[in-house]
């Protein structure tokens, strides 16, 4: 049976029923059986989805199609030619991003070329898909609102019979959405000039109306809302034509004299289909000031090449095996249980990506790496709690229940803050960052399911069948309380000095700190002669031997033959040309070079930064409410400190910031905030347990000492695959893994020696009682935070 929407819906209902039953029942046997069935069915469904649908690869991994479009001069309100400017290019790129990637699930790359061209690279677009893509690209979507002549049909008939014109009006074709081409629709007589231009539409969305069916809601800007209400006040009861690209698509009656900046387009008697409404809303929200024409299309090879992807897969497998071996050696049989949860987590990630048609990209791989680290971290957190409960003399069953309950608060906070960041990045950032956010959102739910349900169910079977009566763990850090905070001052001074020194990388290397993905550069194309072949990997090695850095090699297939394209620094294009012509004599029939803009445009980069800042503010508010402001402030400062060091040291170590660093830095940020929250959660718990008694410094030292083993264990398991990737991976994988390795090391000590001391320092400087603040916050938060029912 294939995965039809109806079958998928029914299967999803069954899984949801089992999940709610598991969470709602208090019967131990019922919880164990429902959890087992849920785990098996969930795993089976995810494998089925993955095997049946597969995962769509991003253009950086699997290649796709490339389109070169040229902007044409438009016309202004007076009909005069409108010149093409840099703003025209930026507007076209932003609009195409929304048209071609509205849900942020594609790894879409757009690069301005020269003064009037844009190159678009889309993953997985085959020959049969090109027609639909071309229509979206070339769609002008010029929207106008014009009043219809009160006696339109009679005046048109009169003109046809007697000739002449209707002064101030023009006849326009009328085509209702949904009607067949053969169905005759009478033209309409509308105002010769638009009463309201489409540029005043600030937002257009497709939605389902109970009476009209699918409709499009138009939200007008301030000037548009005022003008529209003035029109409605004069013409209430008259028809207004909604004109799209010179054709009337609807002529609704103005039923009110005040609309308040909102108008609605219905599909007339036939109504809109869902696909029509969504496509039209997307076009109306993004009218192009300059029309575009596709002047070239071609197939494009993967940006990182098949060899690089193979290296990534192999090193990923080796890293995963190392983590598994370490977990088995350290936690023994409990390590097997943890691995069951991680495996189900991965199945859920890949199954969901296949089911929802999510594109796998390099930033997406970074999101998967972070979720796996979070999954291992959740299990380590539970097991370290279990160790404490077993040391207190509890049985395995009782200790396990208590460990899950106590670990739940920290796990919940970690995943909620990560989810907040992911949702904001997805909503506001560009497609590249969205790829990371989508994968992470899927992974968060997989991690929670694997750590809180799968591992508990597996433990239940082992305990109930008496296969496991006690567990033995290795001891990484000796038990005891250490005066960790006495080293805080030298760590803070040294680490912030390192952060300042890291920023000097951009001073010492101003021309090489920022890569061509952000700055732009040159693109040199080599036409491969007939019956000849050029290996892109060999070309890449030849350029490296010539001392070139920060370049990308791709192989394209066009209607005229095959090409080799090299993106490089503007000043390196001559060296690229001479190097490859020397390395492959007689292989090329011609070459050409052009200046190209950055893949990450200024507007998209700005949106990504804004999204990231908003995400940090959201985390600050969340932690201020559930922890206390000093904790929230310290966490954010430590996070920025970590990211600055990661970026700066990567540049100082010879790297140039590129697209691949976006995923790496976001991964580091996620890891850093998670690690800090775990430490803060234990500090908060210890303060609540001791009430208003006890020295706050001693409480913090004890809390950090207790979590020290967990912090180092998680860092070690997260480091393993990244170190393997750096040692054995290709250049692209080294570029990806190095900043993450730096970030894990920095994030580990910053949660202990930077964030925690900052909390203590802030409390002393403000003179407020940290005891009292934490207790008051705990009372406020207890009313709304969910209990550990899993």
């Amino acid at each position: 049976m294939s995965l039809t929407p109806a079958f998928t819906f029914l299967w999803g209902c069954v899984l949801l029923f089992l999940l709610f039953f598991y969470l709602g029942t208090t019967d131990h046997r019922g919880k164990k059986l429902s959890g087992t069935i849920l785990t098996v069915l969930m795993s089976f469904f995810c494998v089925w989805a993955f095997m049946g649908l597969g995962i769509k690869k991003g253009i950086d991994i699997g290649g796709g199609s490339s389109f070169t479009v040229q902007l044409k001069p438009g016309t202004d309100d007076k009909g005069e030619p409108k010149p093409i400017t840099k703003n025209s290019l930026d507007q076209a790129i932003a609009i195409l991003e929304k048209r071609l990637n509205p849900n942020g699930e594609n790894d879409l790359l757009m690069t301005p070329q020269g003064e009037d061209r844009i190159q678009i690279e889309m993953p997985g677009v085959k020959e049969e898909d090109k027609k639909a893509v071309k229509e979206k690209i070339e769609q002008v979507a010029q929207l106008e609102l014009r009043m219809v002549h009160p006696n339109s049909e009679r005046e048109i008939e009169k003109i046809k019979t007697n000739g002449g014109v209707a002064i101030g009006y023009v006849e326009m074709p009328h085509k209702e959405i949904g009607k067949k081409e053969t169905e005759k629709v009478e033209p309409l007589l509308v105002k010769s000039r638009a009463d309201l231009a489409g540029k005043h539409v600030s937002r257009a969305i497709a939605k389902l109306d109970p009476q009209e069916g699918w409709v499009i809601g138009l939200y007008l800007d301030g000037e548009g809302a005022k003008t529209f209400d003035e029109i409605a006040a004069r013409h209430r009861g008259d028809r207004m034509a909604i004109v799209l690209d010179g054709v009337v698509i609807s002529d609704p009656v103005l039923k009110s004299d005040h609309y308040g900046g909102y108008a609605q387009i219905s599909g007339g008697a036939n109504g809109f289909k869902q696909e029509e409404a969504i496509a039209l809303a997307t076009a109306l929200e993004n009218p192009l000031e300059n029309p575009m024409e596709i002047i070239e299309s071609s197939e494009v090879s993967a940006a990182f090449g098949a060899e690089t992807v193979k290296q990534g897969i192999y090193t990923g497998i080796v890293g995963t095996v190392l983590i598994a071996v370490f977990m088995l050696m350290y936690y023994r049989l409990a390590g097997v249980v943890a691995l069951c949860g991680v495996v189900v987590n991965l199945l859920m990630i890949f199954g969901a990506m296949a089911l929802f048609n999510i594109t796998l990209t390099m930033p997406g791989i970074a999101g998967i790496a972070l979720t796996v680290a979070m999954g291992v971290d959740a299990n380590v957190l539970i097991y370290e709690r279990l160790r404490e409960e077993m040391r207190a003399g509890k049985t395995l069953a009782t200790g396990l229940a208590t460990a899950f309950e106590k670990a739940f608060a920290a796990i919940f906070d970690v995943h909620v803050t990560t989810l907040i960041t992911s949702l904001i990045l997805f909503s506001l950032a560009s497609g590249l960052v969205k790829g990371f956010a989508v994968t992470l959102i899927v992974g968060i739910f997989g991690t929670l399911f694997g750590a809180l349900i799968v591992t508990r169910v597996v433990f239940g079977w082992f305990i109930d069948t008496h296969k496991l009566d006690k567990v033995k763990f290795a001891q990484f850090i000796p038990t005891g309380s250490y005066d960790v905070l006495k080293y805080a001052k030298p760590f803070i001074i040294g680490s912030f000095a390192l952060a300042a020194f890291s920023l000097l990388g951009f001073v010492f290397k101003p021309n090489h700190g920022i890569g061509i993905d952000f700055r732009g550069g040159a693109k040199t194309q080599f036409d491969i002669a007939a019956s000849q072949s050029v290996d892109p990997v060999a070309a890449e090695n030849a350029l490296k031997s010539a001392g070139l850095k920060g370049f990308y090699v791709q192989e394209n297939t066009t209607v005229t033959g095959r090409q080799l394209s090299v993106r490089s620094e503007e000043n390196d294009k001559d060296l690229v040309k001479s190097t490859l012509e020397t390395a492959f004599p007689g292989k090329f029939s011609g070459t050409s070079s052009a200046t190209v803009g950055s893949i990450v445009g200024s507007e998209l980069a700005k949106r990504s930064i804004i999204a990231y800042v908003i995400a940090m503010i959201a985390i600050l508010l969340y932690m201020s409410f559930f922890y206390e402001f000093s904790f929230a402030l310290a966490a954010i400062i430590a996070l920025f400190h970590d990211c600055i060091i990661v970026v700066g040291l990567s540049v100082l170590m010879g790297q140039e910031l590129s697209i691949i660093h976006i995923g790496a830095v976001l991964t580091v940020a996620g890891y850093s905030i998670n690690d800090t929250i775990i430490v803060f959660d234990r500090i908060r718990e210890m303060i609540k347990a001791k009430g208003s008694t006890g020295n706050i410094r001693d409480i913090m030292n004890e809390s950090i000492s207790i979590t020290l083993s967990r912090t180092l264990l998680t860092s070690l398991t997260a480091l393993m695959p990244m170190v393997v990737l750096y040692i054995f991976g290709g250049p692209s994988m080294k570029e990806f893994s190095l900043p993450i390795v730096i970030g894990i090391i920095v994030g580990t000590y910053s949660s202990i020696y930077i964030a925690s001391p900052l909390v203590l320092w802030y409390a002393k400087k403000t003179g407020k009682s940290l005891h009292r603040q934490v207790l008051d916050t705990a009372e406020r938060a207890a009313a709304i935070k969910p209990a550990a029912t899993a």
Side-chain angles (χ1 to χ4, degrees):
M1 185 180 292
S2 60
L3 281 173
T4 62
F7 180 76
T8 303
F9 175 76
L10 290 174
W11 195 282
C13 289
V14 171
L15 293 176
L16 278 176
F17 172 78
L18 288 169
L19 177 63
F20 287 131
F21 182 85
Y22 174 87
L23 296 174
T25 184
T26 57
D27 176 64
H28 174 71
R29 186 170 181 274
K31 185 177 282 288
K32 185 178 68 174
L33 287 174
S34 62
T36 303
I37 297 171
L38 175 62
T39 300
V40 172
L41 290 181
M42 178 71 78
S43 301
F44 174 74
F45 180 68
C46 290
V47 171
W48 192 3
F50 176 73
M51 297 297 290
L53 302 174
I55 293 182
K56 186 167 61 175
K57 296 177 182 177
I59 201 162
D60 53 359
I61 297 175
S65 291
S66 173
F67 302 91
T68 301
V69 300
Q70 185 175 34
L71 268 67
K72 301 293 184 181
T75 55
D76 57 20
D77 295 337
K78 298 179 181 178
E80 299 294 327
K82 200 170 191 177
I84 299 169
T85 63
K86 184 180 181 300
N87 288 336
S88 304
L89 274 178
D90 291 342
Q91 186 226 20
I93 289 174
I95 288 172
L96 287 171
E97 169 78 27
K98 290 184 178 181
R99 283 189 185 178
L100 301 175
N101 194 20
N103 300 319
E105 60 187 20
N106 294 321
D107 178 37
L108 184 68
L109 296 178
M110 284 186 285
T111 312
Q113 293 185 299
E115 297 179 351
D116 62 351
R117 297 184 182 186
I118 302 169
Q119 183 176 18
I120 306 168
E121 293 184 353
M122 296 191 67
V125 175
K126 305 302 180 186
E127 196 63 39
E128 58 269 22
D129 303 324
K130 282 187 176 181
K131 182 180 179 182
V133 173
K134 287 178 178 179
E135 288 178 356
K136 288 183 180 179
I137 291 174
E138 295 182 330
Q139 188 175 17
V140 179
Q142 184 178 1
L143 175 69
E144 295 173 330
L145 303 181
R146 303 184 184 214
M147 295 307 303
V148 180
H149 192 288
N151 301 308
S152 173
E153 289 78 6
R154 190 188 309 163
E155 284 296 318
I156 290 176
E157 189 63 34
K158 186 187 297 183
I159 292 171
K160 285 181 180 179
T161 305
N162 303 323
V165 295
I167 298 175
Y169 289 88
V170 63
E171 184 179 320
M172 276 194 175
H174 183 196
K175 182 182 182 304
E176 287 190 14
I177 299 292
K179 277 205 172 187
K180 298 178 181 178
E181 295 289 340
T182 53
E183 292 186 68
K184 186 179 179 181
V185 181
E186 295 297 331
L188 289 177
L189 201 61
V190 300
K191 285 279 190 73
S192 55
R193 296 190 65 175
D195 290 276
L196 185 66
K199 66 181 181 180
H200 296 296
V201 175
S202 60
R203 190 179 175 208
I205 59 172
K207 59 183 182 179
L208 196 58
D209 185 271
Q211 279 84 34
E212 302 283 349
W214 281 99
V215 298
I216 298 166
L218 296 180
Y219 294 87
L220 306 173
D221 60 19
E223 183 181 345
K226 180 182 177 183
T227 304
F228 192 84
D229 281 346
E230 289 174 354
I231 296 169
R234 295 195 305 269
H235 297 281
R236 181 175 180 176
D238 295 335
R239 287 184 295 169
M240 171 176 274
I242 299 170
V243 183
L244 182 66
D245 293 340
V247 178
V248 178
I249 63 169
S250 183
D251 56 329
V253 175
L254 294 174
K255 298 178 180 179
S256 172
D257 54 9
H258 180 76
Y259 286 85
Y262 174 78
Q264 185 168 290
I265 303 175
S266 64
N270 296 280
F272 288 122
K273 294 178 182 177
Q274 182 179 0
E275 299 80 11
E276 293 169 340
I278 293 174
L280 187 56
T282 303
L284 294 180
E285 188 178 8
N286 306 294
L288 278 169
E289 294 181 3
N290 296 86
M292 290 190 296
E293 178 187 354
I294 295 175
I295 59 174
E296 183 184 356
S297 64
S298 63
E299 298 299 317
V300 59
S301 65
F304 296 112
E307 189 62 32
T308 301
V309 175
K310 280 183 184 177
Q311 288 176 347
I313 293 172
Y314 291 151
T315 51
I317 291 172
V318 172
T320 304
V321 170
L322 284 176
I323 292 176
V325 170
F326 177 80
M327 292 290 286
L328 292 175
M329 290 176 60
Y330 193 83
Y331 288 119
R332 306 186 187 168
L333 187 56
V336 177
V337 178
L339 291 175
C340 290
V342 173
V343 169
V344 173
N345 178 17
L346 285 172
L347 290 178
M348 289 183 64
I349 291 174
F350 287 111
M353 291 181 72
L355 187 64
F356 296 108
N357 200 30
I358 298 171
T359 304
L360 180 64
T361 64
M362 286 300 290
I365 291 174
I368 293 175
L370 179 56
T371 55
V372 170
M374 289 172 64
V376 173
D377 185 31
N379 282 285
V380 169
L381 195 62
I382 293 167
Y383 288 169
E384 291 302 306
R385 287 283 192 174
L386 178 59
R387 185 203 299 273
E388 296 173 26
E389 300 303 321
M390 297 290 287
R391 194 181 293 134
K394 292 183 179 180
T395 64
L396 179 58
T398 306
L400 191 66
T402 307
F404 271 97
E405 184 179 344
K406 288 185 175 180
F408 178 80
I411 294 173
F412 180 84
D413 287 331
V414 163
H415 285 77
V416 167
T417 52
T418 307
L419 184 61
I420 289 171
T421 304
S422 303
L423 290 173
I424 292 174
L425 289 175
F426 175 77
S427 301
L428 301 178
S430 66
L432 295 167
V433 178
K434 280 185 177 182
F436 172 85
V438 169
T439 310
L440 195 55
I441 290 169
V442 172
I444 286 169
F445 293 101
T447 300
L448 286 173
F449 185 83
L452 297 179
I453 296 180
V454 176
T455 54
R456 193 163 188 174
V457 168
V458 175
F459 263 122
W461 281 106
F462 275 119
I463 294 171
D464 291 349
T465 56
H466 303 289
K467 302 289 184 185
L468 189 65
D469 296 319
K470 60 180 180 179
V471 290
K472 293 182 179 180
F473 300 150
Q475 188 73 35
F476 195 67
I477 300 292
T479 304
S481 181
Y482 306 99
D483 189 4
V484 180
L485 292 179
K486 76 175 181 179
Y487 302 106
K489 189 173 182 179
F491 258 101
I492 289 177
I493 294 174
S495 194
F496 276 96
L498 178 63
F501 176 75
S502 300
L503 291 177
L504 293 178
F506 296 98
V507 178
F508 295 143
K509 298 185 175 184
N511 295 326
H512 297 286
I514 305 296
I516 58 176
D517 288 351
F518 293 91
R519 291 187 290 105
K523 183 175 182 179
T524 307
Q525 291 184 315
F526 300 84
D527 296 322
I528 301 174
S531 74
Q532 298 292 330
S533 63
V534 176
D535 183 8
V537 176
E540 186 176 308
N541 291 333
L543 293 172
K544 283 178 190 169
S545 300
L548 282 133
K549 292 183 178 180
F551 60 86
Y552 299 103
V553 178
Q554 283 187 314
E555 185 179 21
N556 303 335
T557 303
T558 68
V559 292
T560 58
R562 290 183 302 118
Q563 290 180 333
L564 201 70
S565 299
V566 181
R567 275 179 57 90
S568 66
E569 298 285 352
E570 175 72 22
N571 296 332
D572 290 340
K573 59 185 179 182
D574 292 335
L575 181 57
V576 168
K577 184 174 181 293
S578 61
T579 299
L580 292 188
E581 286 179 343
T582 303
F584 305 99
K587 299 281 188 178
F588 304 121
S589 60
T591 60
S592 62
S593 296
T595 301
V596 296
S598 62
I599 291 177
V600 183
S602 58
E603 183 62 29
L604 298 181
K606 194 184 302 179
R607 283 170 50 198
S608 298
I609 293 171
I610 291 172
Y612 189 71
V613 171
I614 293 175
M616 294 303 100
I617 294 172
I619 291 176
L620 182 73
L621 295 174
Y622 179 86
M623 292 190 68
S624 297
F625 188 86
F626 286 107
Y627 286 76
E628 202 276 318
F629 180 74
S630 59
F631 287 96
L633 183 62
I636 298 300
I637 292 174
L639 175 61
F640 278 112
H641 155 275
D642 297 349
C643 292
I644 287 171
I645 291 180
V646 167
V647 172
L649 287 185
S650 296
V651 171
L652 286 175
M653 294 177 74
Q655 292 193 345
E656 294 183 357
L657 297 186
S658 62
I659 288 174
I660 205 169
H661 284 85
I662 294 175
V665 172
L666 289 172
T667 302
V668 168
Y671 178 85
S672 177
I673 197 71
N674 294 348
D675 205 28
T676 302
I677 286 176
I678 299 297
V679 176
F680 282 178
D681 179 74
R682 184 54 72 99
I683 294 173
R684 179 183 61 174
E685 180 185 325
M686 295 290 289
I687 291 175
K688 288 193 291 184
K690 293 181 181 293
S692 299
T693 62
N695 181 275
I696 191 67
R697 180 188 174 90
D698 293 339
I699 291 175
M700 293 182 77
N701 270 324
E702 185 180 356
S703 302
I704 295 171
S705 299
I706 292 172
T707 58
L708 199 57
S709 178
R710 169 260 150 209
T711 300
L712 296 178
L713 279 172
T714 304
S715 301
L716 189 59
T717 54
L719 268 175
M720 283 180 183
M722 292 301 146
V723 171
V724 172
L725 208 60
Y726 183 75
I727 295 173
F728 298 106
S732 299
M733 292 301 171
K734 288 181 186 292
E735 195 175 344
F736 173 69
S737 56
L738 177 63
I740 296 182
V741 169
I742 296 171
I744 291 173
I745 295 172
V746 174
T748 300
Y749 77 73
S750 75
S751 61
I752 299 170
Y753 292 110
I754 305 295
S756 299
L758 285 175
V759 174
L760 187 61
W761 174 82
Y762 183 85
K764 287 181 178 180
K765 285 295 181 182
T766 56
K768 297 178 180 179
S769 169
L770 195 60
H771 291 95
R772 188 68 264 156
Q773 290 176 346
V774 169
L775 294 174
D776 290 343
T777 302
E779 290 178 6
R780 181 178 69 240
I784 63 171
K785 181 172 275 192
T789 57

